[in-house]
Amino acid sequence: MFKFNFSANDLEFDDPELANQQDDDQLDELSTPLESLSVSPTPSNLVPASLLDLQTETCLHSLPLTLHYELAHIPVLNQGSGAASAIAIDTKTGKEQEVVTLYKRNLEDVKFQIAQEDDNFGDDEPQNATNTVTGPGGVEMLALAGKSDLVKGVYEGGLKTWECALDLVAYLAEQKENYDGKKVLELGCGSALPGIYVLTRSDTVKVDLQDYNDQVLKLVTLPNVLLNTHWRPDQHQPADESDEDEEIDTKDDQDVADGDQDDDEEDDEFEEPEADPADGDFVSVELDLPDSDEGKRALVSKVEAQSRLFMGDWSGLVELMAFNNDEDKYDLILTSETIYAEESHAKLYATIKNSLKRGGKALVAAKTFYFGVGGDILSFRRLIEKDGVFDTKVVFSAQAFVRREILELTFKA
Ligand SMILES: C[S@@+](CC[C@H](N)C(=O)[O-])C[C@H]1O[C@@H](n2cnc3c(N)ncnc32)[C@H](O)[C@@H]1O
């Protein structure tokens, strides 16, 4: 069964190397002809792009009654830069570390929800592939997700949070940009922490989120948006406050979301994450959502005021968005851990190219190489450079067993 290759020290943040780390001389001629950059029609077996209607009963009912979540403490790149939302104590070194704190669900939380709501779902193969919460195929997809990081064209890894998503949050936090009135898109968002981080920075930013699987959008993306914006645990009494052996100081003056964290002193512990830092080792508590459809509808309406959720394959997404002019397009496009399959590079690149505003930028966070699947950042960069439309620059890199980078794309002058 395929698993991405990650190492134990993947969350160690080096000093950012803001210089372009790639040797441009190495960018050989592309073997792929330019005309192949056009997006091919969606094969019938791929999920077609569409807008997810958050107000449907299916979508409302996929929200759990009890929302289990974790706290992800993401170390900021430049300690002391004022980019942090909290200070956490690293229990191994005993040192204070400035972190951005976001709430997130994980795969186990989702499985727990499904198991509670459908007796047919367990650790074994599902008895049937339908479930009122996940919809047709959802149970099957979740069972697969427990065993494999991705099943191409079926499940693309969005139920977990991957390391580069945390890099992207750390990088965005360091940039301290003003997002007021901006339009942002996160492609292949999964748990969507980068897009959600941007959402928490402004009441007037629009952040659209896209994932291949509607189940990911319903069970992880939407709950994560709610947890970090309109249904924040620090504004509501958690149903279970059993994890009390932890320690975190929340800064009064640098809150995550517009002044709402005044006197909070939460009891969390920052533990240096282990093998899969993005997917575990964080505090787990639970929160009760409104159980009436009206209550959920009201929450979802708040999400809709700033975000649209798109599902399905990248091919067809730009047509679906039907931009009238350049102003309709996005100021910032974010994407993390989405270049692992080289055969998807052209359609991902075409989506970025055709939905980014002139003067905007795209940030692609990725590992330099994906063992087992073959995608790599160099070949993605070659594709872009061959097209000749964008300048590319590595704006962040972290040494680890597999090196991680953030590639910035801006239109050539
Ligand atoms: C490994 S996950 C990364 C999720 C998230 N960005 C993160 O870093 O935690 C890869 C994501 O890419 C998206 N993806 C992969 N291939 C896709 C395709 N052909 N069309 C649309 N989305 C795709 C999936 O939605 C999936 O969530």
Side-chain angles (χ1 to χ4, degrees):
M1 207 49 85
F2 169 72
K3 290 267 178 190
F4 281 131
N5 191 323
F6 296 124
S7 70
N9 58 350
D10 268 350
L11 199 63
E12 283 174 12
F13 287 82
D14 297 343
D15 285 337
E17 298 167 24
L18 294 176
N20 186 335
Q21 302 266 320
Q22 298 281 3
D23 180 358
D24 282 348
D25 295 341
Q26 290 178 354
L27 295 173
D28 304 331
E29 284 296 295
L30 260 185
S31 52
T32 320
L34 266 186
E35 48 276 23
S36 73
L37 289 180
S38 61
V39 181
S40 47
T42 310
S44 55
N45 59 339
L46 288 180
V47 177
S50 67
L51 181 65
L52 188 68
D53 183 351
L54 303 184
Q55 296 284 353
T56 59
E57 281 195 3
T58 331
C59 194
L60 293 176
H61 293 175
S62 67
L63 283 172
L65 294 179
T66 300
L67 194 49
H68 289 252
Y69 63 90
E70 303 170 326
L71 283 164
H73 299 309
I74 304 163
V76 301
L77 297 176
N78 278 341
Q79 298 283 310
S81 64
S85 60
I87 294 173
I89 310 293
D90 182 329
T91 47
K92 283 191 185 136
T93 63
K95 285 188 186 155
E96 285 190 346
Q97 185 155 33
E98 293 182 349
V99 294
V100 169
T101 299
L102 292 173
Y103 303 100
K104 73 176 193 72
R105 301 191 89 194
N106 68 23
L107 179 59
E108 290 313 311
D109 297 331
V110 172
K111 282 177 141 186
F112 182 74
Q113 174 189 347
I114 305 304
Q116 270 191 326
E117 295 174 9
D118 188 338
D119 290 342
N120 287 331
F121 185 77
D123 285 337
D124 301 329
E125 291 295 330
Q127 298 302 304
N128 65 45
T130 57
N131 171 286
T132 47
V133 177
T134 59
V139 172
E140 213 164 43
M141 189 200 87
L142 279 165
L144 285 170
K147 296 176 185 163
S148 179
D149 285 333
L150 69 87
V151 184
K152 284 203 183 150
V154 179
Y155 165 63
E156 294 283 350
L159 289 169
K160 296 182 182 176
T161 302
W162 302 97
E163 286 94 331
C164 295
L166 307 184
D167 291 343
L168 201 43
V169 173
Y171 178 73
L172 292 170
E174 188 197 37
Q175 298 302 298
K176 290 195 273 183
E177 276 187 30
N178 182 350
Y179 297 108
D180 289 349
K182 296 277 171 63
K183 279 186 78 177
V184 180
L185 170 67
E186 182 171 355
L187 289 168
C189 63
S191 61
L193 297 191
I196 288 171
Y197 172 76
V198 172
L199 260 182
T200 65
R201 305 312 300 172
S202 167
D203 288 337
T204 57
V205 69
K206 304 267 189 208
V207 180
D208 290 343
L209 303 165
Q210 178 277 335
D211 195 274
Y212 185 76
N213 297 105
D214 67 324
Q215 291 94 351
V216 168
L217 291 170
K218 290 189 278 196
L219 296 168
V220 175
T221 315
L222 180 59
N224 281 357
V225 172
L226 287 170
L227 279 169
N228 288 283
T229 56
H230 306 292
W231 196 249
R232 290 179 58 91
D234 57 9
Q235 294 165 6
H236 299 273
Q237 189 62 33
D240 174 6
E241 292 180 301
S242 55
D243 291 283
E244 284 176 355
D245 57 333
E246 316 207 29
E247 194 179 299
I248 186 170
D249 294 320
T250 306
K251 278 190 181 176
D252 290 346
D253 54 349
Q254 283 162 353
D255 44 21
V256 177
D258 44 69
D260 281 333
Q261 290 195 342
D262 359 306
D263 333 318
D264 287 353
E265 280 241 336
E266 299 177 26
D267 272 349
D268 305 314
E269 178 177 26
F270 175 68
E271 284 191 26
E272 184 131 328
E274 290 174 6
D276 194 348
D279 197 39
D281 273 351
F282 302 117
V283 179
S284 181
V285 275
E286 54 185 54
L287 186 75
D288 287 332
L289 277 170
D291 52 6
S292 70
D293 278 7
E294 272 173 19
K296 286 182 176 173
R297 212 159 250 139
L299 272 179
V300 162
S301 299
K302 290 182 181 175
V303 173
E304 287 175 320
Q306 276 182 280
S307 297
R308 294 178 297 173
L309 272 59
F310 293 98
M311 59 177 274
D313 191 56
W314 290 314
S315 56
L317 184 62
V318 173
E319 288 78 0
L320 182 71
M321 286 168 163
F323 302 110
N324 291 318
N325 51 46
D326 196 59
E327 271 310 291
D328 275 0
K329 295 185 176 178
Y330 294 96
D331 299 281
L332 175 64
I333 296 181
L334 305 170
T335 192
S336 144
E337 308 255 20
T338 46
I339 60 147
Y340 51 82
E342 200 169 343
E343 66 269 21
S344 294
H345 285 187
K347 59 186 171 186
L348 175 62
Y349 172 60
T351 306
I352 293 172
K353 178 178 162 181
N354 294 315
S355 54
L356 188 67
K357 196 183 276 184
R358 291 252 144 208
K361 73 176 169 202
L363 295 170
V364 179
K367 298 199 171 64
T368 49
F369 188 74
Y370 288 88
F371 292 105
V373 261
D376 68 285
I377 207 160
L378 187 61
S379 55
F380 186 65
R381 197 171 174 198
R382 279 178 178 154
L383 181 74
I384 299 164
E385 303 216 342
K386 183 73 177 176
D387 193 34
V389 172
F390 289 101
D391 287 322
T392 60
K393 185 165 77 165
V394 175
V395 292
F396 165 90
S397 67
Q399 287 296 353
F401 178 67
V402 183
R403 183 185 173 87
R404 308 188 307 273
E405 292 181 344
I406 297 176
L407 191 64
E408 181 189 84
L409 278 62
T410 49
F411 282 100
K412 284 185 190 293

